[in-house]
Amino acid sequence: MDESDARNIRNICILAHVDHGKTTLADHLIASSGDGELLKPRLAGKVRYMDYLDEEQRRAITMKSSSISLRYKDYSLNLIDSPGHMDFCSEVSTAARLSDGALVLVDAVEGVHIQTHAVLRQAWIEKLTPCLVLNKIDRLICELRLSPMEAYTRLIRIVHEVNGIVSAYKSEKYLSDVDSILASPSGEITDESLELLEDDEEVTFQPQKGNVVFVCALDGWGFGVSEFANFYASKLGAKADTLQKSLWGPRYYIPKTKMIVGKKSLSAGSKTKPMFVQFVLDPLWQVYEAALDPGGDRAVLEKVIKSFNLIIPQRELQNKDPKNLLQSVMSRWLPLSDAVLSMAVKHLPDPISAQAYRIPRLVPERKVIGGNEVDSSVLAEAELVRRSIEACDSSRDSPCVVFVSKMFAIPMKMIPQGGDHRERMNGLNDDDSKSESDECFLAFARIFSGVLRAGQRVFVISALYDPLKGESSQKYIQEAELHSIYLMMGQGLKPVNEVKAGNVVAIRGLGPYISKSATLSSTRNCWPLASMEFQVSPTLRVAIEPSDPSDMSALMKGLRLLNRADPFVEITVSARGEHVLAAAGEVHLERCIKDLTDRFARVNIEVSSPLVSYRETIEGDGSNLLESLRSLSLNASDYVEKRTPNGRCVIRVHVMKLPHSLTKLLDESTDLLGDIIGGKGSHSIKILESQSPSLEENVDPVEALKNQLVEAGVSSSSETENDREKCKAEWAKLLKRIWALGPREKGPNILFAPDGKRICEDGSILVRGSPHVSQRLGFTEDSTETPPDSALYSEALTLESSIVSGFQLATASGPLCDEPMWGLAFTIESHLAEDSETEKQPENFGIFTGQVMTAVKDACRAAVLQTNPRIVEAMYFCELNTAPEYLGPMYAVLSRRRARVLKEEMQEGSSLFTVHAYVPVSESFGFAEELRKGTSGGASALMVLSHWEMLEEDPFFVPKTEEEIEEFGDGASVLPNTARKLINAVRRRKGLHVEEKVVQHATKQRTLARKV
Ligand SMILES: Nc1nc2c(ncn2[C@@H]2O[C@H](COP(=O)(O)OP(=O)(O)OP(=O)(O)O)[C@@H](O)[C@H]2O)c(=O)[nH]1
Ligand SMILES: [Mg+2]
């Protein structure tokens, strides 16, 4: 293969919301390739060829991304089908990384849904070129029974909406999926917006440009406007190009003058339809009516067959079932695969042009900042490798670079046998024990540069590797010998000896080296490719153990295999020694358990009920952070005081609530903050481009975060402009005092360094702390102040780390139920007094620092408990779809689950309702199941983790005022409220003390019992 060959490669993934028809579309593309040797055309759309796992066929949803190599004309295509269910969204990321272009499907009836947002975002992050496929056009005709004009309005609306989402990613700020759904305009589109829309070069999807097709994947037909433009060109005596431009949007054909005009030139009240309706939809509707209506006019069909010279076997023409007849005609008149694939090869990029602009995302540019110690030859080679990726250089002597986006396991029997004798002899190399050799691990990979050969030796580089770091980075690089390379054919594999840059393949022999993803390279001096970004993190956690304790080792082995085979599952051992499995959702969890029992461990497993995480905070919305700080300095009574047992150190802790926007920002930037705060000062390399999807390229993420931090502190308070400025100044001052973040040094809680006088009246001195985080973030310079040279001062200095540790411990486990704290600001003043005992024993010092740490921790926890503590729970954003008759039962289920409904909307043109709601994670288990039962399968729900939300309820509520006692009773008989119940459940699970009166009124209970 030479360069011109790489120009003929297209790596394409199919992305969409669940059930919008990806796998059905893939079927038709497969059937049309290679004379139907893989899949008979008449079976296309029925077998769902890419869903080869039993579980996928059983549930009729795709659960993994898988690739197939196809040929279309001179082109070779790697088509990757991806799942649409939220639980498997990580598979969308792995598919997107290996592709250059994406076919984004939208169901014409259901329209844009939550996963449509998510996949468009994923495509945007990975710099994929998208094309739009509007699927299920047949449903507009047969199910909704829309007129062509109504259908047209609906299609325009969808295209408009999808364009809106993409342009938000392109231009504005980064939004999470949930935010973008909540922000998306649902208003009507006016004619003016249409005029704007169609002439704007910036608009991504434009049918008249050819990157939108209208299809019915089930029946195997589809078209872009160019198909019709070509057909009408000769009939109307117009140029196909001109026609194509007019076949979408408000363009009208005046037969008298043979002119195409805009809306303005139409006479008032004119009934002329837009050209898309007149020339495209009307004929389509006529064919459908002719075929499906009992009294339909067969002549219309004959006319179509004749004018397009369709060759249809008699057998099919005489088919009694009108549906089959229709399918025969439509799939020959407007073949689906032609419409989709001709669009794909024309509008989606080849690897050479794609890699040239994807390079900043794949290998962010790095700049050496002042490192004299950097080895320039290493740097030069690493740069060379980067350029070779940029050029998609497939010459033999260029460095070979491959990205593995996931590892997957297939049963050994699916591996083609023969040919490679080494495989059989050396089968153990894949897996580390005999019992595991039933499964074979393959790497799902793309070659970005050079040539990869079977049997080649490569370096396996993990994401943390840095070639400039020399020795210290060695643990991130390994050497491996590949076994075989396969072209993926959906269910099958085709062994090949070598592949060139730009192709997608499966590689065998990397099982022991890679757990999730990695970069392979022929040279050590190569940067790892940037890590992939996942839409959500695995949040559903359960503890698992074997039913029979003696199966423990089998389970461990199974877990190890599962961890490797599933890119998204997380397996950890909890502090209490349980094996905790984290999955993305219930469907995912169920599949993991099934895989474990049937394939990987083959033992029976007990699964605990889900372990839900909570956070702890205090009452309030944090809008008065600045005021409470001010009052703190005025009146210093509002604190908790603790003393170390030896009495030398007095600790005063004051706690405040952070503004919500700030907490959210800290929560979202954890990784970045971790990098900044934990980063070594002498970092010689700076990654220039942000890896997170910040919009404008080349924005320094640290700068961006700093600006956001400055904004977040003031945004919530202050009314007048003047006030705002004052607040800003004050907040800026405060930002210079950030001593630490917690827990784990990067959480959403802040420790401010105290601002008091250094020496107090009683001679004790204040442990000042250093604004360590502020310095790292660049809010303040490294302080040059040298403390007075005295023993007490230097002792105070050494206590600083104990105070920070105490703060970290406290924020990691709050007083309510040992869950991490959330959105709190602490100021800790510790006063250290002179040691009264004359002799100082150094061995006592260790004890003393420990005492300080414990005192700080206790004081922080006590401060929270004293300031109206509240429990915070995680919320899912939930999108429900239902027919109107099930709205009632659906709301019943929602209210049982403490859900908060955000909006209910009827989808225009159909009778379906879409409802958005927040559902607490703790209430979400079995939700889908209950919904299905409650509505006899008439309503469906998808959930994505959204945010943390504080429960307003006071967990320690006891009626005090007269009115309260009247309403709730005297306290003894008050039932625990929701907050209290949640806390108690967690405490019970963790084996903590639970204050509960088991028997409240013994006498009453006895009488009750007798009655029963
Ligand atoms: N009426 C109609 N139904 C369709 C069409 N295309 C697909 N379907 C049906 O839609 C359902 C879902 O199709 P799939 O191809 O499995 O959808 P998918 O997008 O692969 O779903 P996931 O992989 O689970 O996300 C199936 O029942 C198909 O028969 C179409 O053009 N018209
Ligand atoms: Mg599918």
Side-chain angles (χ1 to χ4, degrees), residues 658 666 673 677 734-754 768-777 800-801 803-809 811 824-828:
L658 288 175
L666 290 175
L673 281 167
I677 297 167
L734 211 53
L735 280 174
K736 295 192 167 110
R737 278 173 46 197
I738 306 178
W739 187 355
L741 300 179
R744 288 189 302 279
E745 275 125 35
K746 51 186 184 183
N749 302 288
I750 301 183
L751 172 61
F752 288 114
R768 284 283 286 273
S770 64
H772 173 71
V773 176
S774 299
Q775 284 164 13
R776 280 267 181 262
L777 283 168
E800 287 184 4
S801 68
I803 294 173
V804 174
S805 308
F807 163 78
Q808 300 292 356
L809 286 176
T811 46
L824 298 179
F826 289 89
T827 44
I828 304 180

Side-chain angles (χ1 to χ4, degrees), residues 522-651:
S522 56
T523 159
R524 273 177 185 281
N525 301 325
C526 162
W527 303 111
L529 267 66
S531 318
M532 289 169 296
E533 190 142 322
F534 294 119
Q535 184 197 354
V536 295
S537 51
T539 43
L540 175 55
R541 297 180 304 140
V542 292
I544 49 176
E545 57 183 31
S547 309
D548 177 355
S550 64
D551 286 337
M552 197 60 200
S553 68
L555 177 65
M556 302 277 288
K557 208 182 286 160
L559 283 176
R560 245 195 345 262
L561 284 177
L562 176 71
N563 189 35
R564 234 198 267 157
D566 189 317
F568 207 46
V569 74
E570 259 176 34
I571 288 152
T572 45
V573 179
S574 77
R576 294 194 298 149
E578 299 158 319
H579 291 276
V580 176
L581 191 153
E586 281 181 277
V587 183
H588 184 214
L589 176 67
E590 209 176 294
R591 206 215 53 210
C592 287
I593 300 293
K594 204 163 170 351
D595 272 355
L596 265 182
T597 31
D598 296 353
R599 287 172 74 188
F600 298 131
R602 299 203 177 141
V603 293
N604 286 330
I605 298 172
E606 300 294 321
V607 183
S608 77
S609 53
L611 318 172
V612 184
S613 308
Y614 294 93
R615 295 286 183 268
E616 299 182 17
T617 191
I618 56 173
E619 198 191 11
D621 58 3
S623 56
N624 53 355
L625 175 69
L626 294 171
E627 280 127 63
S628 47
L629 261 182
R630 237 174 283 153
S631 67
L632 175 70
S633 40
L634 296 177
N635 121 46
S637 66
D638 198 13
Y639 53 73
V640 167
E641 188 173 290
K642 286 251 176 271
R643 205 173 271 271
T644 53
N646 67 5
R648 281 193 59 207
C649 190
V650 179
I651 289 147

Side-chain angles (χ1 to χ4, degrees), residues 18-24 61-62 84 135-136 138 216-218:
V18 64
D19 262 2
H20 281 198
K22 298 172 289 295
T23 311
T24 312
I61 59 170
T62 308
N135 189 23
K136 310 203 187 179
D138 62 315
C216 164
L218 193 62

